[in-house]
Amino acid sequence: DAIGLASHARLFRENGIIGALLLRVCERDIDLQRDLGMSRLVDRLRLVFHVRRLAMGHCPPLPAPYAASPSDPPAILSWDVDRVVSWLGEHGLSAYGDAFRREEITGEAVAMLEADHLRDSLGVHRLSDRLALQDAVVSLRATVFSETVHDRASKKEAALEEANTQLDVAGHRMEEYESEICRLRDETESLRRRVKTIPDDFLCSITQCVMRDPVMCVDGHTYERVAIEHWLRDHDTSPLTGEPLSSKSVFPNHALRKVIQGFIEKDGEP
C-alpha cells in the first residue's frame, strides 16, 4: 500500500511471497510478469526499487513525486515523468520520450532500468543509444543508493546527538533535584532542633522533609512539588499506593502551605 501497488497484493499472498522470497523474486523480471501479474513495467521497477531500499534498511516510504526542473540536482527519488523526459533530452535521447511517457517512467523506475527493459519495453533498439542510457542509469542509481546510505548514517548520527543531549538534560535535572532535596533536608533538620514534634502531615512521604511547595496528586496525597514531579517523569503510579494514576497533573495545596508557613514562622525559620 505504501508504494501504491496494493492491487497486486492478492497474487503475492497466494504465491507466498514474503520476506526473503520478495528479494529473490525481484531478481527475475519474468516471474513478476508471468506469476505475479505485474504487466506494467513501471510497477515492476517501482517494486524492485523499494525492495532494494528496504534491504538496505531504508524503511519509510518515499514522498510522492513532484515536478522538478531540469536544473534541479539529480534527486531522482522525486522525479515525475516530465522530469525524466527532460533528463533524456539532456543526454540527447529525447526521441524516446514518448515511450517513457507511455510507460509512465518516474525517477524511481529509471533507477532500476536494465538493458532488457530498454530494448524490449521502451524500444531503445539502437545499441549506441542503449549503452548511453545504461551508463546514465548506472550513474543515477549509484547516486540514489549512495545518498540512501548517507541518509542512514546522518540519521544515526543525529539520533546519537539527540540521545547525548537528553542525557545531559537528565543529568542537569538530577543535579538540581539532589541539590533541592539536600536544602530541604537541612531545613528540616534545623527545624527539628527548634521544635519537639513536626506534624506528619507537614512531611513529604517521598523526601520525609517539611514541604515548602506542597502539591496534591490525583491519588489524593500531598507531596513536595520537586519530589513528585521527579517521580512522575519515570512513573505513572502513585509513590504511596503503587496504583496507576489517571493523570500526572498536580495542584497546589495552598491551605497546607499556609499552615506549614505559619508553623515555621511561629517556631523560627529553620
Side-chain angles (χ1 to χ4, degrees):
D1 290 350
I3 60 174
L5 298 173
S7 60
H8 300 286
R10 181 181 60 82
L11 283 175
F12 274 73
R13 283 195 294 267
E14 290 178 355
N15 284 275
I17 305 301
I18 58 174
L21 289 179
L22 187 58
L23 290 172
R24 291 185 61 186
V25 77
C26 284
E27 296 174 357
R28 288 175 52 83
D29 191 70
I30 187 63
D31 290 341
L32 293 175
Q33 295 182 67
R34 182 184 58 201
D35 298 319
L36 296 170
M38 301 190 75
S39 57
R40 297 179 69 224
L41 175 62
V42 66
D43 289 347
R44 300 195 302 274
L45 295 176
R46 290 186 68 209
L47 176 66
V48 173
F49 177 82
H50 286 283
V51 167
R52 181 173 294 189
R53 282 173 61 87
L54 285 171
M56 295 177 67
H58 190 90
C59 296
L62 295 173
Y66 69 92
S69 68
S71 61
D72 284 341
I76 67 169
L77 304 188
S78 58
W79 285 7
D80 62 5
V81 176
D82 289 336
R83 179 64 184 92
V84 171
V85 172
S86 296
W87 171 77
L88 288 173
E90 293 167 10
H91 291 275
L93 298 167
S94 55
Y96 302 104
D98 288 343
F100 275 67
R101 288 187 187 280
R102 182 182 66 250
E103 296 292 339
E104 300 178 7
I105 302 299
T106 57
E108 55 194 356
V110 163
M112 295 295 103
L113 282 172
E114 301 290 352
D116 291 347
H117 302 137
L118 295 172
R119 182 185 62 245
D120 301 335
S121 300
L122 294 169
V124 185
H125 298 297
R126 189 180 182 188
L127 181 58
S128 60
D129 290 348
R130 194 161 63 248
L131 292 175
L133 263 175
Q134 283 181 257
D135 289 343
V137 166
V138 168
S139 178
L140 285 177
R141 186 183 300 163
T143 301
V144 172
F145 289 101
S146 65
E147 286 178 354
T148 299
V149 173
H150 175 72
D151 289 345
R152 289 169 58 200
S154 297
K155 288 178 181 178
K156 287 182 179 179
E157 183 177 347
L160 181 60
E161 184 176 345
E162 176 64 20
N164 289 332
T165 299
Q166 291 179 0
L167 286 174
D168 290 341
V169 170
H172 183 64
R173 284 177 176 172
M174 180 59 72
E175 289 177 1
E176 290 182 337
Y177 172 73
E178 291 176 347
S179 175
E180 180 65 13
I181 295 302
C182 285
R183 186 184 68 81
L184 291 170
R185 286 174 180 164
D186 290 344
E187 288 185 354
T188 299
E189 288 304 314
S190 178
L191 184 60
R192 287 186 191 280
R193 291 193 291 268
R194 289 171 168 77
V195 300
K196 293 181 179 179
T197 305
I198 298 176
D200 290 341
D201 290 344
F202 292 3
L203 301 176
C204 170
S205 58
I206 297 176
T207 66
Q208 297 303 309
C209 298
V210 175
M211 289 180 282
R212 285 294 200 163
D213 188 7
V215 294
M216 289 189 66
C217 185
V218 294
D219 64 357
H221 298 283
T222 297
Y223 307 89
E224 177 66 42
R225 179 185 292 276
V226 67
I228 188 63
E229 288 182 346
H230 180 78
W231 169 270
L232 292 175
R233 287 194 186 102
D234 300 315
H235 303 81
D236 56 6
T237 56
S238 166
L240 269 181
T241 68
E243 295 294 320
L245 298 172
S246 60
S247 169
K248 291 189 176 184
S249 299
V250 295
F251 310 93
N253 191 332
H254 296 297
L256 181 58
R257 181 172 185 170
K258 289 181 180 179
V259 173
I260 293 175
Q261 286 177 339
F263 176 81
I264 292 174
E265 290 169 1
K266 177 182 176 181
D267 293 281
E269 276 291 332

